Amino acid sequence: MKGWMLAVLAMGAVAIWKVVLPRVLSTAAPRAVVLDADPVQTPVEPPEQLTVLRDGRVYRVEKQYAYEVAGEVLSASSYDVTWTNDFADVDVGLLWGPRRKQLKDRFKFFQMGRWLFWRTDTEPTAEDRAEVTTHISNNHLIPAEGSQHLGWAFRQISKGDVVRLKGWLVRITSAKGDVYAQSSTRRDDTGDGACEVVWVEELQVGNRLFR
């Protein structure tokens, strides 16, 4: 009987976490998410640097570009056992632009091993490749220091959500100067190093705003 009651209590705790907390942690967004626009990227001159501690290790976070992107979520993955690191345990693939529907009809998208992939049943033209490359991104999300609400909110993002991210594209180095992570700073790259590493200060999911 005790075991059954504990199970009920546990399920109740989960329900509170899933249902009540979003209303507590988020506020109403002042504006709707606009999906047709390209990401906005502005250099930080000189780059702002932060020293942060993770699991007893010292890192330097360099904010290289102010960054804001809005898009439809193609896929969202959380990593708790494999592919984890000291900063970003959530990846979100985004699609934006006025031809979102055509791109979704033409391509299939999926995440694997912290990468975002696309595939198609027919050979894409050079124009197709260029368009899909410049209108999707795979974002490694890092909550800004002290923003515990964001870390929780990242894990609630689901495929099909309409989201807006605001923060910085960053370079992270160890205390010895070794590069731990480097964000892409262009939208037309592919392969290794093409993901955006985003130090997030604000997340909008639909009409909910998290900071």
Side-chain angles (χ1 to χ4, degrees):
M1 185 67 173
K2 181 184 292 186
W4 181 81
M5 291 181 66
L6 287 174
V8 171
L9 290 173
M11 287 188 290
V14 170
I16 292 172
W17 181 251
K18 288 286 187 180
V19 177
V20 177
L21 281 183
R23 293 197 292 267
V24 173
L25 301 182
S26 64
T27 59
R31 56 190 172 94
V33 178
V34 178
L35 300 181
D36 288 349
D38 289 332
V40 178
Q41 179 177 307
T42 308
V44 178
E45 298 290 353
E48 181 183 348
Q49 296 187 346
L50 303 173
T51 299
V52 300
L53 188 67
R54 290 288 192 277
D55 198 23
R57 291 181 285 271
V58 177
Y59 294 94
R60 178 173 293 172
V61 177
E62 182 178 282
K63 298 177 179 177
Q64 297 183 313
Y65 291 86
Y67 189 66
E68 186 168 357
V69 59
E72 179 181 342
V73 176
L74 296 171
S75 57
S77 300
S78 301
Y79 301 90
D80 296 306
V81 179
T82 60
W83 301 101
T84 60
N85 60 44
D86 286 345
F87 285 90
D89 291 333
V90 177
D91 294 346
V92 174
L94 294 180
L95 167 70
W96 62 85
R99 298 190 70 248
R100 295 184 310 278
K101 184 180 186 306
Q102 291 91 327
L103 289 174
K104 287 191 298 179
D105 290 343
R106 181 79 167 86
F107 298 93
K108 303 301 179 185
F109 302 93
F110 62 98
Q111 285 177 321
M112 185 171 60
R114 310 215 68 163
W115 291 44
L116 176 66
F117 296 88
W118 57 260
R119 63 179 176 84
T120 180
D121 295 331
T122 58
E123 182 66 24
T125 65
E127 291 77 11
D128 288 338
R129 288 179 179 272
E131 183 165 22
V132 72
T133 297
T134 56
H135 289 86
I136 63 171
S137 65
N138 190 43
N139 303 271
H140 303 317
L141 304 186
I142 304 172
E145 287 292 276
S147 301
Q148 296 178 352
H149 296 173
L150 283 173
W152 176 87
F154 292 165
R155 292 174 175 266
Q156 313 311 307
I157 297 173
S158 301
K159 180 178 178 179
D161 283 345
V162 172
V163 306
R164 179 178 60 85
L165 303 169
K166 185 177 181 180
W168 288 269
L169 300 180
V170 297
R171 171 187 173 95
I172 303 175
T173 56
S174 69
K176 295 181 179 179
D178 298 326
V179 177
Y180 185 82
Q182 170 65 63
S183 178
S184 167
T185 58
R186 50 192 291 181
R187 309 289 86 77
D188 61 351
D189 52 355
T190 61
D192 224 3
C195 297
E196 281 66 32
V197 182
V198 190
W199 184 270
V200 181
E201 284 212 339
E202 185 173 288
L203 165 68
Q204 182 176 343
V205 183
N207 63 356
R208 294 182 297 157
L209 191 65
F210 297 87
R211 291 190 175 98

